[in-house]
Amino acid sequence: MLVLGIESSCDETGIALYDSATGLLSHALHSQVAMHAEYGGVVPELASRDHIRRVVPLLRDALAQGKRSLEEVDAVAYTRGPGLAGALLVGCAFAEALALAIDKPTIPVHHLEGHLLSPLLSATPPTFPFVALLVSGGHTQLMRVTGVGEYELLGETLDDAAGEAFDKSAKLLGLPYPGGALLSKLAEAGAPGVYELPRPMLHSGDLSFSFSGLKTAVLTLVREHADDMTDTFKADAARAFQEAIVEVLVKKSLKAMKQTGLKQLVVAGGVGANRQLRATLDDEARRKRFSVFYPELEFCTDNGAMIALAGCLRLQAGTPAKAAGSFAIQPRWPLSELLR
Ligand code: KG4
Ligand code: ZN
C-alpha cells in the first residue's frame, strides 16, 4: 500500500510517500521559519498563503524522489488537526481534491499521533508497548503507547508546553524566533549553577508538568540584570533555564518508566532535538537499564513523513479510509478523543 502524507498544521509544509512494504520512499519539506522570523512568531494568514504556494512543487519533489506516479498512490493522509485553521484547510483541501482526482480515499490524521509514531521511521525502531514523552511547541505529554491507536495519557502540562517555555525564555533573553534551538546552543556556552531556577512540580507526586512559573522566573532574572545583559549573563541564564527544564522532563520520564514497568522510552516532538535532554536521558537509561529512542532529527520537528506513516499504520490497523471530497479539519482536537 502506497500512502501520500501531507502536513500543513503550522509553519512547515511537508509531503511524503510511505510504502507499507518498503517504508519511507521520499519526503519533501519547506519550513517557513525565515518568513515568520521577521514578525517574532507565526503569522497565521502568511502561513496559509505560503502553504498554498508550496504544496504543488513539494508534491512533485516527493513523487520524483520516490520514483512514483500519482496514480500509484492508494490513499492520501493529511493532518486534520490540531493546528492553525487556515493552514490546516490548505492541506485538507489539497489532499481531498487530489484524492478525488485520482479516485482514491483519504485518511485524516491527528498531528500528535504523527509525532508519537515518528520514531517508527528510524532504522532501529522501538516495538510496542513503549512510553512516549511528547515535547513539542504546543504539547508536553507522557503517554503509554500499546499499539497504533492505543494511547493512554499518563500526564501532561497544566499550562505552557516545554517548547513554548523554551521559545518564550529565548525571547526574554533577546534571541530571535523561534528561540528554542538558539537558547539551547547559548546554554552550552553557559556555566552551570550560576543561577538557580525553580523546577516546577518536580515533587508533585504525579506526572503533571507546569512551565509558566519557570518562564516567569526567567523574566524576573532578566529584569534584575536589565542593566548588565552581557553575553555571559545570557549564556549562564540560558544554562540555568535548560537545566531546570531538562531535570523536570527527565525525572518525570523516569517516574513514568517506573510506574508502567516498561523498558522503552520514545522522545518525540521538537524539544526532543535538545542535546542536554538527550545526554541526560541516555545516562539515566544506562543506569536504569531501559532503552531510549529518538526520531531522526529531521523527523523530530513537523514533517510529512510522520503523517504518511500514521495514515498507513491506521489503515493497516483497520481504521476505515474516507471517501474523498469532504472537508474534515479540526483545529482544536484534544488527543484525549483518540485515547482509550
Ligand atoms: O514538534 P515541533 O516542530 O512543533 C510543534 O508541533 O509544536 O516543535 C517545535 C518546538 C519549538 O518550540 C522549538 O523551539 C523547539 O521545538 N525546539 C527545541 C530545540 N529544537 C526545537 N527546544 C529545545 N532545544 C532544541 N534543540
Ligand atoms: Zn508538531
Side-chain angles (χ1 to χ4, degrees):
M1 177 169 35
L2 183 65
V3 178
L4 179 76
I6 300 176
E7 156 62 32
S8 72
S9 65
C10 188
D11 57 348
E12 260 103 23
T13 325
I15 301 201
L17 277 176
Y18 187 88
D19 186 314
S20 55
T22 54
L24 187 67
L25 297 183
S26 64
H27 82 109
L29 186 76
H30 175 77
S31 167
Q32 305 176 353
V33 161
M35 179 179 79
H36 296 296
E38 215 182 306
Y39 304 93
V42 176
V43 184
E45 177 63 22
L46 294 183
S48 313
R49 292 179 190 205
D50 201 62
H51 286 306
I52 291 177
R53 274 193 289 273
R54 307 290 171 181
V55 279
V56 173
L58 287 172
L59 172 66
R60 291 205 171 112
D61 282 358
L63 290 170
Q65 276 174 42
K67 299 191 172 55
R68 297 298 176 96
S69 70
L70 205 46
E71 288 68 33
E72 290 173 87
V73 169
D74 295 304
V76 182
Y78 65 91
T79 305
R80 174 178 182 178
L84 301 170
L88 289 167
L89 258 183
V90 176
C92 165
F94 183 61
E96 295 288 352
L98 200 62
L100 202 58
I102 57 173
D103 198 17
K104 295 289 164 57
T106 56
I107 174 104
V109 169
H110 195 293
H111 180 79
L112 294 182
E113 184 169 33
H115 277 301
L116 272 186
L117 298 174
S118 63
L120 300 178
L121 291 165
S122 301
T124 48
T127 51
F128 297 120
F130 54 77
V131 171
L133 171 68
L134 187 61
V135 271
S136 69
H139 296 83
T140 301
Q141 294 172 324
L142 275 162
M143 324 262 300
R144 183 209 300 262
V145 181
T146 312
V148 176
E150 293 177 51
Y151 315 122
E152 183 195 340
L153 184 65
L154 302 170
E156 65 183 331
T157 182
L158 305 178
D159 42 55
D160 291 355
E164 193 179 355
F166 262 97
D167 294 338
K168 286 179 175 170
S169 300
K171 199 168 188 176
L172 292 171
L173 291 171
L175 299 172
Y177 163 88
L182 292 173
L183 184 147
S184 98
K185 222 168 160 202
L186 186 61
E188 285 173 19
V194 179
Y195 304 108
E196 192 65 26
L197 294 176
R199 270 82 170 139
M201 302 200 73
L202 191 59
H203 304 293
S204 64
D206 59 12
L207 296 172
S208 303
F209 301 88
S210 162
F211 294 119
S212 74
L214 179 55
K215 172 196 66 195
T216 310
V218 174
L219 174 65
T220 307
L221 188 63
V222 165
R223 284 200 175 135
E224 283 166 5
H225 290 76
D227 299 328
D228 62 341
M229 286 274 281
T230 60
D231 288 349
T232 310
F233 163 73
K234 288 187 197 172
D236 293 345
R239 180 73 182 238
F241 167 81
Q242 184 166 276
E243 288 195 332
I245 200 161
V246 165
E247 185 178 341
V248 175
L249 292 174
V250 170
K251 292 252 165 85
K252 296 275 175 171
S253 300
L254 293 179
K255 192 172 170 61
M257 296 310 286
K258 197 167 167 198
Q259 191 174 308
T260 58
L262 297 179
K263 292 288 167 210
Q264 298 175 99
L265 174 68
V266 155
V267 183
V271 182
N274 187 271
R275 282 174 35 179
Q276 192 178 348
L277 176 65
R278 287 184 175 217
T280 316
L281 279 176
D282 288 343
D283 274 356
E284 292 291 348
R286 259 190 303 275
R287 287 189 333 116
K288 306 249 160 51
R289 298 180 190 284
F290 63 85
S291 314
V292 198
F293 298 80
Y294 308 95
E296 314 295 332
L297 277 179
E298 58 184 338
F299 301 135
C300 271
T301 46
D302 292 350
N303 64 84
M306 67 183 193
I307 302 303
L309 169 78
C312 186
L313 293 179
R314 274 280 176 180
L315 291 173
Q316 286 180 316
T319 301
K322 169 181 102 38
S326 63
F327 283 67
I329 65 158
Q330 206 163 327
R332 287 172 190 276
W333 186 7
L335 191 63
S336 56
E337 288 181 16
L338 288 188
L339 303 179
R340 286 186 298 162

